[in-house]
Amino acid sequence: MDSLTPSQLEALNQLRDLTNGGDDDVSIGVLSSVDWDVQQAADMIFGTGPSHSPPTRQMEHFEIDDSAQGETQDWSQRNVNEFPSNPRPSALISVISYPFQLITSIFRFIFSVLRIPIPHIPFLSLNFYRPLRPTRAASRGIDSWIRELEEETGAVCIGSASSAVASGIAGPSSSGLTARGAQPQKHLPNFAVGTYEDTLRRCQKENRVGCVVLVSEEHDDDAEFKRTTLTDPTFVNLLVDSDFIVWGGDVRDLEPYSASEKLQATTYPFVAFVSNQPTRSSSSQSPTLTVLSRHQGASNTSPTKLVEHLTSNLLPRVQPYLQRLIDSQRAIERDRMLRQQQDQAFQDAARRDTDRIRAKMAQEKAAEVERQAQAQRAVEEELERQRAVEERERLVKERMVWRRWARRALVPVEAPSDILRIAIRLPNGSRLVRRFSPDTTLSQLYAFVDKEFIPAEYAALDDPTAPPKVGDMENIIGEMGGEREWWGFKLLSSYPRAEVAWKAKVRLAEVPCLKDGGGQLIVEMDGGSRRTSMENGSRDEDGYDTESDEE
């Protein structure tokens, strides 16, 4: 009721007032069948309306194909939407029939509990009141109807029997439906659980034939139809082997009643077959769900007639077209799968290409980063080298200032009292000979030799009179890299050959090879190299004094 519009709710309230309450589901069903006309709905309920039928309800997505049904009724002379009138019984007849209805209900309950098929006894179905619409306060579902059908017939749906392997019930086979045990088991068609519309959609989507079974429990032939037709092995086998979709229900329930209106059922039991068929219109090529045949009444729904109709008429006519549709669907599905596989392969290839490009870009980026790092390191190394060169140049300049100052301030003047005669052989072969005082230090002796290596462009007259910085030169030598870096040469005695290493504040009188009157020394540049820039004339190169030197 929540889905009703305001105008529909108003019509429902008016009809409820006319019927002194009543069942809302019944009222809604009657109103919906007459397009919510309250007057026509009241006439249908009380049976006092005019003889003309209510407006025809159009079937959606259906065409009627009764060309091969072979029924003797003249459908052109009858309004297929008109249902049998059900006049309202009088109160006296209802009171008289009440005991019979009570007895019928008791018998049905006992037979249902004992799972015994209900025999076809006329008075058991005696009922003078036949409602137009479902009378249950809450309409049953299809699964409830199937369970009641199994209890009433003592049979089981073939789908349930096929899955019950542990119970020993055999499934469908072309040779017949029999149980594995000693007792044969009756079977019902595999009824689909769902709505009528869902079943039609399955038939249309899966290109299968649908079988719609509609019964009315209040009809005299209802029990006979259920016992003979719905449990007939040949009929059930044919439905299973031909892959039918079977759906059914009791028209007293809302869903089957709606299906009966759409299928234009007027007599029960009712069996209809639906399937996809070519569209009669030449403008459309898509198949249309069509009612292939309708069978109404006990005589037209016997298992023999239905099996004969299916095997000789309906299946030979329908199956070739359905098979073409199935093959076409399979071809479309194959093409779709092929396209999907191609798309997947394309996506995989694209992903691999993307990964390869990204890896290459990452590699190039890493190479660029490494190149930039190397360039940065090269720049830093160049800056460090330049700073080292500048530092060396600064130290060389500062040392040159100290050397020039030492030439002026440290080299002692030769005095007559000096007793240590020392001959010094330079790397270019020239010799220096002079006398030193025993108190002369090694620093003064090294400064005397070092002045020979000062370039000629630095004149002695221009030597500084003060040191470049405050402090003792002997301490500065240690701060500026040591004596090797400062002097750049070493002194060695000629024989025995031994180094006269520079030491701070050491007097010549303390040097073993010089303290006894002096000696001969050889100047050797660090690394074994000799300076050749000095040109002091040729001298004897044996490193020893001669008689001419003594003169």
Side-chain angles (χ1 to χ4, degrees):
M1 295 180 61
D2 295 338
S3 61
L4 299 180
T5 63
S7 60
Q8 292 174 349
L9 286 174
E10 182 180 358
L12 178 61
N13 292 331
Q14 293 177 6
L15 184 60
R16 188 186 294 127
D17 295 338
L18 291 175
T19 58
N20 294 325
D23 190 353
D24 287 343
D25 291 335
V26 175
S27 300
I28 292 173
V30 174
L31 286 171
S32 62
S33 66
V34 295
D35 293 334
W36 297 91
D37 189 328
V38 179
Q39 183 62 41
Q40 291 187 14
D43 293 341
M44 291 180 65
I45 291 176
F46 296 110
T48 59
S51 60
H52 64 81
S53 62
T56 303
R57 296 191 58 170
Q58 300 295 329
M59 292 191 303
E60 298 178 358
H61 308 294
F62 272 105
E63 291 184 0
I64 307 300
D65 182 8
D66 292 330
S67 58
Q69 185 172 349
E71 295 186 357
T72 58
Q73 299 176 354
D74 186 4
W75 288 89
S76 63
Q77 300 297 327
R78 183 174 61 178
N79 188 344
V80 295
N81 284 1
E82 183 178 357
F83 286 81
S85 61
N86 295 287
R88 186 179 182 86
S90 63
L92 179 60
I93 296 177
S94 299
V95 171
I96 295 174
S97 63
Y98 178 75
F100 295 99
Q101 296 179 12
L102 182 60
I103 295 173
T104 301
S105 301
I106 293 174
F107 270 95
R108 288 183 182 275
F109 175 75
I110 294 173
F111 276 67
S112 298
V113 170
L114 299 177
R115 297 182 65 87
I116 300 175
I118 300 175
H120 182 61
I121 303 175
F123 78 87
L124 289 179
S125 60
L126 183 60
N127 193 348
F128 292 95
Y129 176 64
R130 306 218 175 174
L132 180 66
R133 289 285 292 175
T135 58
R136 292 183 177 87
S139 180
R140 296 177 302 177
I142 300 302
D143 53 345
S144 299
W145 177 78
I146 295 174
R147 286 195 300 271
E148 292 183 5
L149 180 62
E150 290 178 339
E151 293 176 357
E152 183 177 350
T153 59
V156 294
C157 287
I158 197 167
S160 302
S162 299
S163 60
V165 177
S167 63
I169 301 176
S173 64
S174 59
S175 61
L177 298 173
T178 58
R180 293 180 182 176
Q183 295 293 334
Q185 175 68 57
K186 291 184 178 181
H187 293 89
L188 292 169
N190 188 20
F191 285 97
V193 177
T195 64
Y196 173 69
E197 296 296 336
D198 292 339
T199 303
L200 295 183
R201 279 191 288 269
R202 282 188 61 192
C203 294
Q204 191 168 24
K205 180 181 179 180
E206 300 176 12
N207 291 311
R208 295 164 64 182
V209 181
C211 175
V212 180
V213 178
L214 299 177
V215 297
S216 175
E217 190 175 347
E218 298 172 351
H219 199 280
D220 293 339
D221 298 323
D222 177 72
E224 183 67 21
F225 172 76
K226 293 176 181 177
R227 288 197 310 269
T228 58
T229 301
L230 296 184
T231 61
D232 182 73
T234 305
F235 178 65
V236 175
N237 258 338
L238 181 60
L239 295 180
V240 172
D241 293 341
S242 300
D243 200 20
F244 276 66
I245 298 177
V246 185
W247 184 88
D250 195 314
V251 293
R252 296 184 304 163
D253 299 320
L254 291 177
E255 187 68 25
Y257 179 81
S258 176
S260 69
E261 285 188 316
K262 296 177 181 179
L263 291 172
Q264 303 173 355
T266 58
T267 306
Y268 302 99
F270 175 87
V271 178
F273 298 100
V274 298
S275 176
N276 280 334
Q277 286 294 284
T279 305
R280 296 179 181 179
S281 173
S282 59
S283 60
S284 177
Q285 299 297 327
S286 59
T288 302
L289 195 61
T290 304
V291 178
L292 302 174
S293 62
R294 293 174 297 186
H295 309 265
Q296 306 184 79
S299 59
N300 294 321
T301 56
S302 63
T304 304
K305 287 191 174 182
L306 291 178
V307 170
E308 181 182 359
H309 171 72
L310 291 175
T311 55
S312 62
N313 190 344
L314 190 141
L315 290 177
R317 179 163 54 95
V318 173
Q319 281 186 337
Y321 179 72
L322 294 181
Q323 188 61 42
R324 289 197 300 271
L325 293 180
I326 293 173
D327 295 340
S328 176
Q329 281 188 346
R330 290 175 179 172
I332 294 174
E333 183 65 18
R334 285 195 300 270
D335 293 341
R336 186 188 66 82
M337 291 296 297
L338 180 61
R339 287 194 301 270
Q340 183 177 358
Q341 293 174 358
Q342 292 174 346
D343 293 342
Q344 185 64 35
F346 176 77
Q347 293 175 2
D348 294 341
R351 184 172 60 255
R352 289 193 297 270
D353 292 341
T354 302
D355 295 341
R356 184 167 56 254
I357 293 173
R358 288 178 178 174
K360 186 176 181 180
M361 292 175 62
Q363 184 178 3
E364 292 178 352
K365 185 177 180 180
E368 180 65 22
V369 171
E370 181 63 23
R371 192 161 48 250
Q372 292 178 358
Q374 292 179 355
Q376 182 66 22
R377 287 195 297 270
V379 171
E380 293 176 355
E381 291 174 357
E382 180 63 22
L383 292 176
E384 185 66 23
R385 188 187 64 80
Q386 291 179 1
R387 286 194 293 268
V389 170
E390 293 175 356
E391 181 65 17
R392 284 196 301 271
E393 291 178 354
R394 185 189 66 80
L395 293 176
V396 168
K397 291 179 180 179
E398 185 176 353
R399 179 175 174 273
M400 180 59 66
V401 175
W402 277 102
R403 290 171 63 192
R404 293 178 62 192
W405 173 83
R407 183 172 62 176
R408 174 185 288 272
L410 294 182
V411 176
V413 180
E414 187 177 2
S417 59
D418 294 338
I419 61 174
L420 297 179
R421 183 176 181 275
I422 300 176
I424 302 172
R425 185 184 179 89
L426 299 177
N428 62 352
S430 61
R431 298 175 64 189
L432 301 176
V433 180
R434 65 157 290 177
R435 294 179 183 275
F436 292 90
S437 170
D439 295 329
T440 303
T441 64
L442 285 176
S443 296
Q444 291 174 318
L445 177 62
Y446 268 78
F448 171 74
V449 177
D450 185 61
K451 70 181 180 62
E452 300 297 326
F453 299 112
I454 296 177
E457 61 185 19
Y458 298 108
L461 297 176
D462 297 333
D463 290 343
T465 58
K469 63 172 64 175
V470 178
D472 188 3
M473 190 187 74
E474 292 180 344
N475 297 329
I476 298 299
I477 291 175
E479 296 176 0
M480 297 181 66
E483 66 275 11
R484 296 293 186 188
E485 183 68 22
W486 179 270
W487 300 113
F489 62 89
K490 58 185 177 181
L491 298 176
L492 299 97
S493 60
S494 59
Y495 188 84
R497 194 176 182 86
E499 181 180 1
V500 181
W502 175 88
K503 293 181 181 179
K505 303 185 184 309
V506 175
R507 298 182 300 115
L508 296 181
E510 299 174 1
V511 178
C513 63
L514 299 177
K515 65 181 180 179
D516 297 329
Q520 297 186 17
L521 299 177
I522 301 173
V523 179
E524 187 175 289
M525 307 304 297
D526 282 341
S529 62
R530 295 173 177 267
R531 295 188 181 182
T532 60
S533 59
M534 299 178 57
E535 295 180 2
N536 297 327
S538 65
R539 298 190 180 186
D540 294 338
E541 299 180 0
D542 55 1
Y544 294 95
D545 288 337
T546 61
E547 293 181 355
S548 61
D549 294 333
E550 296 292 336
E551 295 178 355

